[in-house]
Structures are given as C-alpha cells and as structure tokens.
C-alpha cells in the first residue's frame, strides 16, 4: 500500500454525447502523444475509484439511505430519497465511464500488447470492482458496446446477469495475468493500493470473487448453496489477515485529504451520524463506538433521526471520528473482516448456525483489531453476543457486517439482498420505502435513450430477490 502523492484526475473523453476525435487523432506531434504510459494512467484511476466513487457521492447517498449518516438540512433531500437523474450524472458520465472504464480499457489494451502483465492484472481487477458498483446501482449498464465511437454512438445496455458473468470473467483474467512472468515494466510506487505486489492483488481478486458470488444467493437461476460453495472456495485464496486489506492511504495535506474528511467535515453542509446507527452501537455497548464517532457538545453520543427538521445546534450530534474521516485516514475498498463475514454467511448456508458462529465471532474480532480495540473489550463484547440460531443467524451476521463495513457501498447491497439490518425508512405522503436502485442519469436519458431506463427507483435489480 502506497500513499497518494498526486490527486489530479486523468480525464478521458466521454462515452456518449461528446467527441473523442482529438483524443484519437493520429499525428506525430510530441506534445499530443498517441498513448499515455500505464504508470501515468493507473494512479489516476485508483484516486478516482477511491475518492469519487467508493468515498464520494455514491457512498454518501448510500450512507444516508443506510442511516449511518444523516444530512442536517431541510427536506426534501437525498436522505429522504429525493434522487433525480441530474443527481447521478457525475457518477456515470464523469467518474465511472470516462475516468475509470475508458482509461482502464486503454491501459489494459496497451499493457496486454506490451506484455506488461502487472498493469493488465490490476486494470482488470479495478474494472471488475467498478463495474460491479455501476451494476449494483443501475442494474443493466453499458459494457459490451461501450467505447466503440464512432461505430456505435448509442450503445445498448448489457443485462445485469451478463454483467455479473463479465465481472467474474474479468477477475479470472486478472488472476491469469498475475501468474504470467514479471516484465521489466511493472507497477510500483504508482500503485497506491499494494505497491505492485501481485500476491496481494491476487488475494484481493479472490476476495472480490467471493463477494460477487455471494451477491447472487437469491438471483434467478442461482441457488444459495451453489453460490456459498463458490464463495467459500474463493476465500481459501483471499484475504488472510488485516495486513491484506485493500486500502488507499491519504497524506492529508493540500488536496490529498481523505474524502470522508471532505464529506463530513466543516465544508460538508451538516453531515452528522445517523441516529439508528449510533443507537444500535450504544444499545449493544459496542466498544467501537468511540472509534467510529465523536461525542456531541452535550457530552453524549447522538445521531440525527431521518425525517427530523434541521437541528439549530448541529454540534449536538456525533460526527464520524478520525479513523475513517481524519485528513490522513485510509479508505478501504475491501477488508479481511468483510471476507470473514462472507465466510460466516456462506458457512451458515452450507452448515448451519453452529458452524457459522466461530467464523462470525472471528469477523467481529478482525474489524475490532483493525480499529485497535483493546483485547479485553473485544472479549467482553463477543461474549455478550447472542448465540446464533437458525432464526437469528443471518440477522446477527449481516448487522455486524453492517458495522464492519461502515461507510462502504456494500452495506446497501447486503440490505437489499437480505433485508438486514432492519431499518425504518423515512416516510411522507409520497415516499414509503428506501429506493432499491438509482435512476439513470440525465445525460443518458437525453443522448442515449434505451428501454432499460424506464425503471423506477423502487424496481428491484435482477439479483435483488429479498
């Protein structure tokens, strides 16, 4: 893992609606090169993935809907599910498609042709990671017909089932490239996640495979048992300790602060901790509370309830503490704790609650170790957990995973897939439930109309069978 040294995003041309002529123009002008080295593309893609996707608008909205955070502003707002096509434009049209997918396509193609297999392997892994985020937000998304301008100016969407097949194939391809001979040109300092360590990338890829296998436990044409088997097999080669965690470290100076510091700090517009999340930690006497949240100015931990009018004294609420939202805090793409929770759920499916119990407790311990919780406090907390039974096991596992995946988009995927944790949605005369997906972006509706776009935010994704 390497610290970010530059935060300037590499901008590619957009997929639809704007010209790529200048970018693709063939000439010999040394000031307008035909290609950009992989070492120049990779860090910018990692920064975009970490700062603007996993830690940006995507994660902010999910944290509101999953009630880990709350927006101390008048309604309607994103927290009350007032999400429009304009709200999601940047995520699709600026971050995911040009800055990540197009740049990764260029990098992977160049690296493959030049036999720079390390870059190809990392590129495939990051592509799969971001493609899953896109599909988990919108369902059907552009892939197979993308980046074929001018032959295809209005690319059709791939069905989510096909996208998930592509994700697994891409990770398999990444693993293949990781096993190829190391070339002289290879990722090093510009890899802000693992510093070019292919053994670590290999564990990350296998952990992602397990994550996406388990996503399909209720998808049409799939069975929970089969998906659990695949996840358990993948995890044998995945993360084995917290030292394997996939994270991006931020220096904290200049324009290189952790995105959650920017999201929840003084310039955030009143983003505070959510009441249901804080109350759940308090009720369980969870020793992680003091690491996750600050104490409000009234001397206690307090979150804001979704639906309340803006508080005149927002300082009375708890804020995200420094472990996740300090200037130089790291941002996590996947963790050993998550891997163990995946293993606990898969074990529950295959062998029952008794077999899942020790894995579940190990998962809690992994997250607490990551946070630096004292051993005696960990033991007291684990001893107080109710025994897993057939009736409560899934609820207990996913609710604890919800804490361990604090501020991760994975909390939204688990909630849709399992119904846990149990959340009371904001309700008014119109809104009655937490949305199941994002609307398609305004620019897509205007420049690339497709039948897939007729869905509403309350329509379920293909894999969302809960």
């Amino acid at each position: 893992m390497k610290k970010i040294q530059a935060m300037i995003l590499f901008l590619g041309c957009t997929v639809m609606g704007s010209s790529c002529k200048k970018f693709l123009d063939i000439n010999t002008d040394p000031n307008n090169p035909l290609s950009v080295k992989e070492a120049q593309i990779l860090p910018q893609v990692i920064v975009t993935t970490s700062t603007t996707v996993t830690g940006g608008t995507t994660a902010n909205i999910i944290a509101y809907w999953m009630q880990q955070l709350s927006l101390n502003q008048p309604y309607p707002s994103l927290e009350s599910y007032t999400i429009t096509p304009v709200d999601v434009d940047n995520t699709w049209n600026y971050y995911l498609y040009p800055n990540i997918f197009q740049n990764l396509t260029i990098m992977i193609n160049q690296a493959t042709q030049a036999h720079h297999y390390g870059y190809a392997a990392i590129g495939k892994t990051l592509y799969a990671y971001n493609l899953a985020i896109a599909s988990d937000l919108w369902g059907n998304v552009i892939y197979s017909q993308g980046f074929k301008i001018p032959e295809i100016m209005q690319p059709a969407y791939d069905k989510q089932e096909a996208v998930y097949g592509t994700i697994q194939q891409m990770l398999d391809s990444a693993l293949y490239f990781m096993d190829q001979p190391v070339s002289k040109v290879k990722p090093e300092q510009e890899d802000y996640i693992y510093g070019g360590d292919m053994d670590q990338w290999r564990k990350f890829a296998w952990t992602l495979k397990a994550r996406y296998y388990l996503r399909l436990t209720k998808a049409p044409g799939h069975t929970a048992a089969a998906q659990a088997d695949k996840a358990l097999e993948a995890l044998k080669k995945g993360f084995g300790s917290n030292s394997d965690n996939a994270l991006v470290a931020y220096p904290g100076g200049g324009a290189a602060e952790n995105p959650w510091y920017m999201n929840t700090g003084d310039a955030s517009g009143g983003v505070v901790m959510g009441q249901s999340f804080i109350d759940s930690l308090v009720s369980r006497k969870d020793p992680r509370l003091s690491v996750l949240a600050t104490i409000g100015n009234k001397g206690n931990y307090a979150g804001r309830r979704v639906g309340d009018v803006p508080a005149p004294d927002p300082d009375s609420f708890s804020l995200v503490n420094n472990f996740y939202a300090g200037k130089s805090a790291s941002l996590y793409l996947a963790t050993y704790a998550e891997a163990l929770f995946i293993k606990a759920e898969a074990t529950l499916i295959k062998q029952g609650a008794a077999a899942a119990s020790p894995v579940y407790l190990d998962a809690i311990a992994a997250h607490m170790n990551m946070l630096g919780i004292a051993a005696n406090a960990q033991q007291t907390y684990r001893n107080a957990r109710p025994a897993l039974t057939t009736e409560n096991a899934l609820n207990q596992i996913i609710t604890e995973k919800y804490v361990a995946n604090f501020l991760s988009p994975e909390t939204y995927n688990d909630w849709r897939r399992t119904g846990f944790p149990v959340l009371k949605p904001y309700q008014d005369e119109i809104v009655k439930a937490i949305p199941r997906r994002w609307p398609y972006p305004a620019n897509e509706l205007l420049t690339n109309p497709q039948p897939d776009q007729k869905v509403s935010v309350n329509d379920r994704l293909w894999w969302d069978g809960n």
Side-chain angles (χ1 to χ4, degrees), residues 229-248:
D229 278 334
K230 291 178 180 179
L232 289 169
E233 192 63 29
L235 287 172
K236 292 177 181 178
K237 300 177 183 179
F239 292 164
S241 72
N242 278 320
S243 64
D244 298 328
N245 291 343
L247 61 90
V248 176

Side-chain angles (χ1 to χ4, degrees), residues 108 120-132 143 163-179 201-213 234:
I108 292 166
I122 294 174
K124 294 268 189 174
T125 305
L126 291 174
Y127 204 122
Y129 177 91
N130 283 284
L131 187 59
Y143 174 70
V163 171
Y164 259 79
T166 296
I167 290 166
Q168 291 291 354
Q169 292 166 9
M170 201 168 286
L171 290 170
D172 287 338
S173 181
L175 290 163
Y176 168 80
F177 283 125
M178 290 173 199
D179 289 336
W201 277 101
R202 188 176 290 104
K203 293 177 185 178
F204 184 27
W206 280 110
T207 301
L208 289 179
K209 285 180 71 67
R211 174 194 283 180
Y212 304 135
Y213 282 139

Side-chain angles (χ1 to χ4, degrees), residues 261-273:
Y261 170 79
M262 304 301 294
N263 294 343
T264 64
D266 293 337
S268 66
V271 178
V272 300
M273 297 292 285

Side-chain angles (χ1 to χ4, degrees), residues 145-363:
Q145 291 190 8
F147 312 113
K148 295 184 178 180
I149 294 174
E151 292 81 7
I152 301 176
M153 296 299 294
Q154 293 185 317
Y157 293 2
D158 291 32
K159 298 296 184 184
Q160 187 173 49
E161 182 175 9
V163 171
Y164 259 79
T166 296
I167 290 166
Q168 291 291 354
Q169 292 166 9
M170 201 168 286
L171 290 170
D172 287 338
S173 181
L175 290 163
Y176 168 80
F177 283 125
M178 290 173 199
D179 289 336
Q180 299 310 300
V182 177
S183 62
K184 291 183 180 179
V185 178
K186 59 184 179 180
E188 292 179 331
Q189 298 294 323
E190 69 277 9
D191 170 12
Y192 296 147
I193 299 174
Y194 289 125
D197 188 333
M198 286 298 113
D199 288 338
Q200 292 295 94
W201 277 101
R202 188 176 290 104
K203 293 177 185 178
F204 184 27
W206 280 110
T207 301
L208 289 179
K209 285 180 71 67
R211 174 194 283 180
Y212 304 135
Y213 282 139
L214 205 65
R215 185 88 86 245
L216 307 187
T217 51
K218 296 181 180 178
H222 298 261
T223 66
Q227 296 309 117
D229 278 334
K230 291 178 180 179
L232 289 169
E233 192 63 29
L235 287 172
K236 292 177 181 178
K237 300 177 183 179
F239 292 164
S241 72
N242 278 320
S243 64
D244 298 328
N245 291 343
L247 61 90
V248 176
Y250 288 80
E257 295 96 347
N258 176 285
W260 286 110
Y261 170 79
M262 304 301 294
N263 294 343
T264 64
D266 293 337
S268 66
V271 178
V272 300
M273 297 292 285
Q275 184 187 64
S276 64
F277 185 69
I278 290 291
D279 287 355
S280 70
L281 296 172
V282 170
S283 67
R284 294 197 301 272
K285 299 180 180 179
D286 194 320
R288 290 170 288 189
L289 177 59
S290 62
V291 180
L292 300 179
T294 64
I295 295 175
N297 64 8
K298 294 183 179 179
N300 64 337
Y301 293 100
R304 181 176 181 274
R305 187 179 68 175
V306 59
D308 280 356
V309 297
D313 181 18
D315 291 337
S316 64
F317 296 123
S318 297
L319 303 177
V320 184
N321 216 335
N322 287 334
F323 185 90
Y324 284 99
K327 284 187 178 182
S328 57
S330 297
L331 188 139
Y332 294 83
L333 305 181
T335 65
Y336 176 52
E338 181 194 348
L340 286 176
F341 278 113
I342 293 170
K343 183 177 180 180
E345 183 184 347
T347 302
L348 172 67
I349 293 168
K350 293 297 297 181
Q351 301 179 47
S357 182
V359 186
Y360 154 77
L361 294 174
D362 285 347

Side-chain angles (χ1 to χ4, degrees), residues 362-436:
D362 285 347
I364 296 172
H367 185 236
M368 289 187 169
N369 287 332
M370 188 179 99
L371 300 185
I373 303 299
N376 60 338
Q378 290 191 35
Q379 192 61 52
T380 298
Y381 182 80
R382 291 199 303 271
N383 290 345
R385 296 307 88 220
L388 296 189
T389 66
T390 302
E391 291 74 24
N392 74 7
L394 185 59
N395 186 351
Q396 293 294 323
I397 290 169
I398 299 301
T399 298
E400 286 289 345
K401 187 181 180 186
Y402 167 74
V403 178
N405 273 345
F406 182 55
L407 301 181
S408 166
E410 285 304 296
T411 60
Y412 185 41
N413 299 323
D414 284 334
W415 174 80
R416 286 180 290 177
R417 184 174 59 84
T418 68
F420 300 116
V422 177
L423 301 173
K424 183 179 180 181
Y426 167 79
Q427 292 189 340
D428 61 14
E429 295 80 5
I430 300 174
V431 178
K432 302 297 181 185
I434 299 170
R436 310 297 292 198

